[in-house]
Amino acid sequence: MPSKIFEILEKEEKRQKETINLIPSENFVSEDVLRALGSVFTNKYAEGKPHHRYYAGNEFVDELEDEVVDLVHRAFNIHKDEYSVNVQPYSGSIANIATYFGVLNVNDEVLSMSLEHGGHLTHGHTASITGKIFEFEHYGVGEDGYINYDQVKEIAKRFQPKLIIAGTSAYPRTLDYKKFKEIADSVNALLMADIAHIAGLIVGGAHPSPFPYADIVTTTTHKTLRGPRSAIIICKKNLADNIDKTVFPGIQGGPHMNAVAATGVALEEALRPEFKDYAQQVVKNAKALAEELKNLGFQLVSGGTDNHLILVDVTPLGLTGQQASDKLEKEGVIVNKNMIPFDTRKAWDPSGIRLGTPAVTTQGMKEKDMTAIAKRIAEILISKS
Ligand code: DSN
């Protein structure tokens, strides 16, 4: 019996093979990750924590979850006596929301980066439930495109947040967790690092670690970490009870143990020496792409990158982010439109595009390929058609 779904799946496989994927939050997982994700763990209910479940038949699920938690400790080089790990959140949004409900009361004050300057919807944007339930104030970047830590400190002093979030989804520069921690300590706030974009870079040693500075670290597992679509919360032991209860039964039902298994496979891969080379190459490729784009006259937010992503202001080319993304997609180059700091346009048709190198680096591309991709982008965006 022909399956319409498998027909569509084949078309998507072909699309992924035939296009250049520069979306910085996407990647290509290994066959082993896919195998674990499509495994019989999908058949199992496992509400609760390891060795304390609501359903029978969880002997191997317990063994699996213990092992994945251990892999998280090893990958981030943290000790189990100091940090508790929850690998059950279905997604980064859930991980963030569970964290807020686990450590805050409704209407408590939180300081985070604004979405327009590179933060995330779940960092208190008004369109997100997070912005409706807690009181958020935002910091941003200066005219130079870098976070201004003096500004963060000033806002923290005035606003007296209970929680400060060091986390970004469109910031091309390194985060200084030590400075964030000093600011958090100065106002007696907890520090949360949302490392969703850069988790793989941190594990691979290509970005500074939020440990030992952050009290809580949340991350998705599918971006630079190259795992399935899932998430992890790591927190100081004293915060774990409240956060764990908020994940389940507060927000979620049964964890998706197939995703947990696939996360474990991705972490096993990330602990291999070659993953360090991968993480370093992601950054080298982003720098090479940024350099060539600049040579070709593109305007980059902050003038370049330290990590896996680049933000380009396309308005000097007479284009909007939507138009640039459409033109590139027609030619098989997949990017995403994105707001840039101080954008005067709206999210659905902003001034910028966001490019990243995690996926093309997984495919084995190197600096010379980035130079060629930059030239191709210039041909497409500067052509009149
Ligand atoms: N939506 C993700 C991104 O593309 O950055 C963040 O969650």
Side-chain angles (χ1 to χ4, degrees):
M1 175 90 173
S3 158
K4 181 75 185 156
I5 299 301
F6 278 103
E7 258 175 49
I8 299 169
L9 196 153
E10 273 163 30
K11 285 192 284 188
E12 174 59 11
E13 255 179 21
K14 187 164 179 296
R15 185 198 70 79
Q16 291 191 14
K17 275 196 190 115
E18 292 177 356
T19 53
I20 295 172
N21 183 4
L22 295 176
I23 293 182
S25 48
E26 293 183 6
N27 213 326
F28 296 106
V29 299
S30 67
E31 288 294 325
D32 286 346
V33 167
L34 279 182
R35 192 174 142 224
L37 195 59
S39 71
V40 293
F41 279 117
T42 202
N43 299 334
K44 192 70 197 98
Y45 251 116
E47 286 177 4
K49 297 281 283 177
H51 315 283
H52 192 64
R53 308 277 186 187
Y54 287 83
Y55 293 75
N58 273 309
E59 180 186 354
F60 301 115
V61 160
D62 285 349
E63 189 180 342
L64 170 73
E65 192 167 338
D66 283 344
E67 180 60 23
V68 179
V69 165
D70 186 52
L71 283 163
V72 174
H73 283 113
R74 284 162 50 204
F76 288 98
N77 202 14
I78 49 176
H79 202 277
K80 64 178 176 16
D81 293 341
E82 205 179 346
Y83 292 98
S84 177
V85 170
N86 190 319
V87 292
Q88 297 189 2
Y90 300 148
S91 72
S93 299
I94 297 283
N96 286 351
I97 292 166
T99 297
Y100 304 154
F101 277 100
V103 301
L104 300 170
N105 293 310
V106 169
N107 292 330
D108 271 356
E109 299 80 5
V110 188
L111 176 58
S112 67
M113 194 175 204
S114 72
L115 182 67
E116 293 73 14
H117 283 229
H120 189 255
L121 275 167
T122 60
H123 298 172
H125 192 274
T126 48
S128 157
I129 192 165
T130 57
K132 302 184 201 302
I133 290 182
F134 303 100
E135 192 172 333
F136 274 82
E137 181 106 354
H138 296 293
Y139 58 85
V141 296
E143 293 290 341
D144 60 1
Y146 284 75
I147 292 172
N148 176 344
Y149 290 92
D150 291 334
Q151 185 212 27
V152 181
K153 192 172 182 175
E154 258 173 55
I155 302 174
K157 208 167 158 194
R158 168 175 52 74
F159 185 55
Q160 293 289 310
K162 306 272 186 317
L163 179 72
I164 297 181
I165 304 173
T168 64
S169 68
Y171 182 61
R173 296 297 177 180
T174 300
L175 290 172
D176 189 336
Y177 295 114
K178 186 164 184 273
K179 275 195 187 146
F180 272 112
K181 177 64 172 164
E182 282 162 9
I183 296 168
D185 281 349
S186 74
V187 294
N188 219 8
L190 290 170
L191 178 63
M192 164 180 154
D194 178 343
I195 61 166
H197 265 257
I198 53 177
L201 303 185
I202 291 167
V203 171
H207 187 286
S209 171
F211 302 104
Y213 306 110
D215 300 289
I216 306 144
V217 172
T218 62
T219 185
T220 52
T221 47
H222 51 273
K223 299 186 173 92
T224 48
L225 196 54
R226 221 163 51 179
R229 306 190 77 89
S230 191
I232 301 171
I233 304 173
I234 306 169
C235 66
K236 294 256 174 76
K237 289 275 259 207
N238 63 319
L239 303 171
D241 271 356
N242 282 350
I243 292 177
D244 287 349
K245 273 187 213 142
T246 309
V247 173
F248 172 83
I251 299 176
Q252 297 191 166
H256 298 170
M257 294 314 298
N258 56 321
V260 174
T263 295
V265 174
L267 288 165
E268 285 177 337
E269 291 173 356
L271 279 160
R272 292 186 193 136
E274 54 268 33
F275 193 82
K276 281 204 167 29
D277 300 337
Y278 166 71
Q280 307 290 338
Q281 191 64 48
V282 167
V283 175
K284 282 188 211 163
N285 281 351
K287 283 182 186 290
L289 184 59
E291 209 43 47
E292 188 62 18
L293 286 170
K294 270 200 312 193
N295 293 341
L296 292 162
F298 285 90
Q299 210 165 300
L300 273 47
V301 171
S302 85
T305 183
D306 297 325
N307 58 25
H308 63 303
L309 72 81
I310 297 160
L311 267 182
V312 183
D313 179 359
V314 290
T315 55
L317 306 172
L319 294 170
T320 67
Q322 180 72 62
Q323 288 167 337
S325 159
D326 288 348
K327 273 167 95 83
L328 289 164
E329 183 172 5
K330 265 196 209 142
E331 301 296 329
V333 181
I334 310 298
V335 304
N336 66 298
K337 62 187 175 200
N338 214 95
M339 304 272 282
I340 55 173
F342 312 104
D343 211 327
T344 51
R345 304 185 58 82
K346 297 275 180 263
W348 273 105
D349 195 7
S351 298
I353 53 173
R354 191 181 65 153
L355 318 175
T357 53
V360 288
T361 306
T362 295
Q363 290 174 311
M365 293 197 205
K366 296 272 164 42
E367 288 93 324
K368 65 173 183 355
D369 304 300
M370 298 306 111
T371 307
I373 289 176
K375 290 199 165 100
R376 183 77 191 113
I377 290 173
E379 273 168 22
I380 298 166
L381 292 188
I382 299 168
S383 80
K384 294 285 167 250
S385 57

